Amino acid sequence: MTRNTAKRIAPCGSQNARRACFAATAGLLALVAGATPALAAEPDNDEDSASAFPNIYLDMRTNYFTVPPGTLALGFNNTLSLPALSSLSSVSGRGVTLDLPLTIDLNDRISVFGGVTGSTSKNDLSPWSSFDITTWNVGVQADVITQDDGWLPTVTVLSTLTKSASDGPLSSTNLTTVVEADRALDEDGTRGFLAGVQVMNTWIDSGLASVRPAVIGYLGAYYQGPDNWKLTGRAGVQSFGGANTTELVPFLPAGQPLFSLRSFTQPVLRFDLDRMDDNDNRLFGITAAIFWTPQPAFQFTLRTPLYLVRK
């Protein structure tokens, strides 16, 4: 999950429903921001002055991914849940995305973020495309339950709304929600166990195709050493309901076959190595993930947050 990221979610297929989704997300962000404690008006010293402001940083993530023929690259991915649907191909492909969400840690329990993602991709039959802004996103992450030396684990909810930056027959709206439980085994939270579920809903804005939900359930563990390097592993199962693309035939290039996006249930793995500071802020991170769709796809992520304000 980002800071370390069921009630059925109503579809946003129609224009009115999409507006309702956007309004609900904006309202949630406003509610969270309003609940933040007021900043100190006259801090006593420099340390108090620094602590009076929330963490503000550009959580820059550079992703490299490979995609098997005729599949969608699902799996663990919080900000950009799906590469552009137009990158679907009957041959294998690869791509690079750059996520630039401006993130504000309002306090130790709540963060909000919003930004854009740019991408470039290629397949076995075509060269690299130009780098373009492909999506924008907003989201919120909150610890709704904290362990606080009790028997309940810390429960974190991360919800991200992603929208295609340009209109077209394959532009989409995506809502990804992750609920993760963290049971720390020591007072400092340097080692523990994780359990979580991720639900990904995607709607094609034009209605020319439909993508059914993808759900991941997983277990994991983490360990943070005295030098503040933190290793986290997650292993789980992904279930994807498939997609219907029959309405796309008039928009496909001549001679290009229709994609077969079948349902599947397959394993998924993710490993994170992060460098933290003494206040548990991430300074640097590397993520490697493999997910079967049902053929294996890979994703590597380099996280280099750029802090404007850091406690």
Side-chain angles (χ1 to χ4, degrees):
M1 303 179 72
T2 301
R3 191 180 52 207
N4 330 53
T5 113
K7 205 167 182 176
R8 186 171 178 181
I9 301 172
C12 296
S14 67
Q15 184 177 9
N16 290 337
R18 289 198 301 274
R19 289 175 178 171
C21 283
F22 299 152
T25 301
L28 179 60
L29 295 178
L31 179 63
V32 168
T36 307
L39 301 179
E42 295 183 359
D44 295 333
N45 51 50
D46 291 342
E47 183 177 351
D48 290 338
S49 178
S51 63
F53 292 93
N55 281 345
I56 303 175
Y57 54 100
L58 196 65
D59 193 15
M60 186 167 66
R61 299 188 291 268
T62 305
N63 309 283
Y64 172 80
F65 62 88
T66 65
V67 183
T71 62
L72 293 176
L74 305 173
F76 289 111
N77 203 333
N78 295 333
T79 303
L80 180 61
S81 299
L82 293 173
L85 290 176
S86 58
S87 67
L88 280 170
S89 174
S90 58
V91 295
S92 61
R94 68 201 71 179
V96 175
T97 66
L98 181 63
D99 301 329
L100 296 171
L102 180 65
T103 305
I104 303 176
D105 295 339
L106 299 175
N107 52 44
D108 290 339
R109 298 182 59 174
I110 302 173
S111 296
V112 294
F113 56 89
V116 297
T117 296
S119 67
T120 178
S121 62
K122 74 175 297 293
N123 59 43
D124 293 341
L125 301 178
S126 63
W128 287 95
S129 64
S130 60
F131 185 87
D132 296 310
I133 299 299
T134 52
T135 66
W136 59 261
N137 61 80
V138 293
V140 59
Q141 176 174 307
D143 294 341
V144 296
I145 299 174
T146 57
Q147 185 170 328
D148 293 333
D149 298 326
W151 62 274
L152 286 175
T154 296
V155 177
T156 303
V157 178
L158 168 65
S159 188
T160 306
L161 179 69
T162 304
K163 180 74 175 65
S164 297
S166 59
D167 294 329
L170 291 174
S171 62
S172 62
T173 302
N174 176 274
L175 181 63
T176 300
T177 300
V178 182
V179 180
E180 184 173 271
D182 176 350
R183 186 65 171 87
L185 300 179
D186 60 357
E187 184 177 353
D188 294 332
T190 59
R191 52 192 176 91
F193 295 103
L194 304 171
V197 61
Q198 172 181 295
V199 180
M200 184 187 306
N201 287 273
T202 301
W203 303 276
I204 308 303
D205 298 341
S206 65
L208 295 174
S210 61
V211 181
R212 298 177 184 87
V215 180
I216 297 176
Y218 62 90
L219 298 173
Y222 60 90
Y223 172 77
Q224 184 171 331
D227 55 359
N228 286 334
W229 282 99
K230 183 176 183 179
L231 178 63
T232 306
R234 295 175 176 86
V237 175
Q238 177 179 221
S239 178
F240 173 50
N244 179 10
T245 60
T246 54
E247 299 297 327
L248 288 175
V249 174
F251 298 91
L252 295 176
Q256 183 170 326
L258 188 65
F259 306 115
S260 177
L261 303 178
R262 297 171 295 178
S263 61
F264 60 81
T265 300
Q266 296 287 341
V268 57
L269 297 172
R270 171 175 163 176
F271 299 95
D272 297 91
L273 179 63
D274 296 296
R275 172 68 170 175
M276 317 297 287
D277 66 11
D278 291 336
N279 293 318
D280 212 27
N281 298 308
R282 179 183 289 105
L283 302 177
F284 172 81
I286 300 175
T287 297
I290 178 172
F291 33 95
W292 284 261
T293 61
Q295 299 182 59
F298 302 89
Q299 178 172 307
F300 302 94
T301 302
L302 176 65
R303 300 187 69 162
T304 50
L306 305 176
Y307 285 90
L308 304 177
V309 177
R310 177 161 63 96
K311 295 182 181 180

